[in-house]
């Protein structure tokens, strides 16, 4: 199947129009016309090789929503015309304990990413969602509720699940004080989910101009942590801090804001290692943890939750020709709050 999209031809290159072939429809595959594709900061990290060397040509994009246009002979989960979502992985080993438990993102054989890797079955380069169509095994896609504003759905497939999963795992809800570090694509979904789950929500941001938006999204407090006094004033305040910041941060200082038995979860993925003293954990029996996206069952649970609570991402819809500017604006924390590509324009 011919596909029209945008690709980076080599590391750090500008993205440009790119035509390529998707694999033929297998018995368990569905094909879809993409409606919208989100731009995640992880796309930028990988195009710019900030996580080590990447695979090129790269069609990034792992926040995908569209409608099914054809189905393989053995497909039972989807029908032609269904609204369907695809996230950060398109396959996994299917037999390890984590795959069997529906936590495919932690597959012991390694999940197969949506791009920047080879497809498990064809061994060809996997091309992502900055394109007009897609082919995927039905087991790795999910149903999207029809009542949601479609342009705001694509970011749920990465930004959404990446915040929903830790909020559920650490039981965010009434009586819990949750802080979200960084009000970007991921962070703003965290605010919406934590508020919908009934937690008390604080945003820790370096952008004072985002205050009104944060409160509109459901945050109860908005703090700019720009002085030692702020760290003193708010020490031991939060049960759970989710750090979505894409740049290096003084994580040890933020650990001081965590209550006894509370947890700080690393979600943002800058490249430098962390420096943490043992005392920052020991002093309040704190935990420092990490969390990566979510598995297929949890993705479906999140989309159903979004359908019920009418939760979508706040987006700026762009034409493909704007992708390179969108990258620069995302890195400058200047997006409200996710760029989404109109795939009808490829
Ligand atoms: P984003 O939209 O660029 O948001 C990142 C936010 O971090 C910015 O909006 C900004 O928030 C804050 N920030 C950025 N630069 C900063 C700096 N120099 N100092 C302080 N704060 C800064 O990115 P995203 O798409 O949400 O992704 C965030 C990170 O999560 C990326 O590293 C991405 O690769 C990673 N990620 C991880 C997973 C996972 O499964 N763990 C999944 C997806 C993405 P304020 O303006 O409010 O300060
Ligand atoms: Zn992502
Ligand atoms: Zn596995």
């Amino acid at each position: 199947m011919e596909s029209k999209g945008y690709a980076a031809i080599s590391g750090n290159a500008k993205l440009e129009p790119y035509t390529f072939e998707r694999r033929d429809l297998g018995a368990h595959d569905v094909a879809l016309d993409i409606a919208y594709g989100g731009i995640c900061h992880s796309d930028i990290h990988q195009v710019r090789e900030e996580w080590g060397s990447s695979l090129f040509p790269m069609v990034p994009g792992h926040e995908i929503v569209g409608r099914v246009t054809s189905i393989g002979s053995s497909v039972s989960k989807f029908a032609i015309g269904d609204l369907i979502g695809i996230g950060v992985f398109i396959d996994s080993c299917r037999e390890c304990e984590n795959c069997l438990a529906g936590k495919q993102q932690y597959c012991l054989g390694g999940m197969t990413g949506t791009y920047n890797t080879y497809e498990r079955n064809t061994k060809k380069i996997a091309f992502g969602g900055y394109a007009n169509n897609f082919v995927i095994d039905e087991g790795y896609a999910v149903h999207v509720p029809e009542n949601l504003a479609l342009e705001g759905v694509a970011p749920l497939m990465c930004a959404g699940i990446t915040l929903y999963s830790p909020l559920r795992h650490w039981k965010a809800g009434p009586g819990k004080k949750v802080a979200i570090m960084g009000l970007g694509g991921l962070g703003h979904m965290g605010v919406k989910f934590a508020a919908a789950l009934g937690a008390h929500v604080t945003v820790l941001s370096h952008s004072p101009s985002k205050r009104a938006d944060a409160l509109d999204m459901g945050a109860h407090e908005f703090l700019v942590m720009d002085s030692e006094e702020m760290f003193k004033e708010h020490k031991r305040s939060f049960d759970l801090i989710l750090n979505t910041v894409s740049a290096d941060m003084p994580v040890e200082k933020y650990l001081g804001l965590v209550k006894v038995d509370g947890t700080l979860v690393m979600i943002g993925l800058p490249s430098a290692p962390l420096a943490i003293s043992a005392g920052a954990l020991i002093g309040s029996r704190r935990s420092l943890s990490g969390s990566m996206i979510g598995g297929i069952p949890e993705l479906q649970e999140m989309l159903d939750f979004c359908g019920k609570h009418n939760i979508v991402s706040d987006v700026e819809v762009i034409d493909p020709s704007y992708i390179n500017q969108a990258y620069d604006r995302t890195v400058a924390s200047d997006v409200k709050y996710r760029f989404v590509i109109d795939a009808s324009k490829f």
Side-chain angles (χ1 to χ4, degrees), residues 233-309:
E233 195 183 325
H234 297 282
K235 74 176 182 189
R236 296 183 171 182
S237 291
F238 302 106
D239 297 288
L240 178 65
I241 300 184
L242 303 183
N243 175 15
T244 77
V245 174
S246 51
D248 296 315
M249 293 293 281
V251 170
E252 172 153 341
K253 278 172 79 170
Y254 284 86
L255 270 172
L257 306 178
V258 176
K259 283 184 183 180
V260 171
D261 288 336
T263 305
L264 189 153
V265 184
M266 295 299 293
I267 294 172
L269 211 59
S271 43
L274 301 179
I276 308 280
S277 66
L281 299 171
I282 290 170
S284 289
R285 199 164 59 188
R286 298 179 175 107
S287 299
L288 175 65
S289 192
S291 183
M292 185 169 75
I293 44 174
I296 295 294
E298 202 171 33
L299 261 172
Q300 191 61 64
E301 179 191 310
M302 175 214 57
L303 283 167
D304 295 344
F305 184 89
C306 289
K308 193 166 157 208
H309 295 269

Side-chain angles (χ1 to χ4, degrees), residues 2 4 37 70 95 102 116 118 146 199 225 257 271 279 283 293 307 310 321 337:
E2 188 185 89
K4 282 197 285 184
S70 54
E95 48 197 31
N116 193 16
Y118 295 98
E146 291 277 351
M225 304 301 293
L257 306 178
S271 43
I293 44 174
N310 197 23
S321 58
Y337 276 84

Side-chain angles (χ1 to χ4, degrees), residues 39-42 45 51 62 88 158-159 162 181-187 203-207 210 222 244-249 266-270 291-293 330-331 333 335 337-338:
I39 293 181
C40 176
H41 207 117
S42 301
H45 287 311
W51 295 342
H62 57 209
V88 176
C158 175
T162 300
M181 286 171 67
L183 194 70
L186 269 58
V203 172
L204 309 177
S205 171
H206 85 307
S207 305
K210 294 181 181 174
F222 181 92
T244 77
V245 174
S246 51
D248 296 315
M249 293 293 281
M266 295 299 293
I267 294 172
L269 211 59
S291 183
M292 185 169 75
I293 44 174
T330 299
V331 172
S333 306
V335 47
Y337 276 84
R338 197 58 141 188

Side-chain angles (χ1 to χ4, degrees), residues 92-100 104 106-110 120:
S92 63
C93 86
R94 307 170 189 225
E95 48 197 31
C96 73
E97 61 184 34
N98 295 334
C99 283
L100 294 177
Q104 295 90 347
Y106 302 123
C107 173
L108 297 179
R120 255 186 155 83

Side-chain angles (χ1 to χ4, degrees), residues 25 65 76 128 138 156 245 250 257 262 265 318:
L25 202 66
V65 65
S76 57
E138 62 170 340
L156 300 176
V245 174
L257 306 178
V265 184
I318 60 166

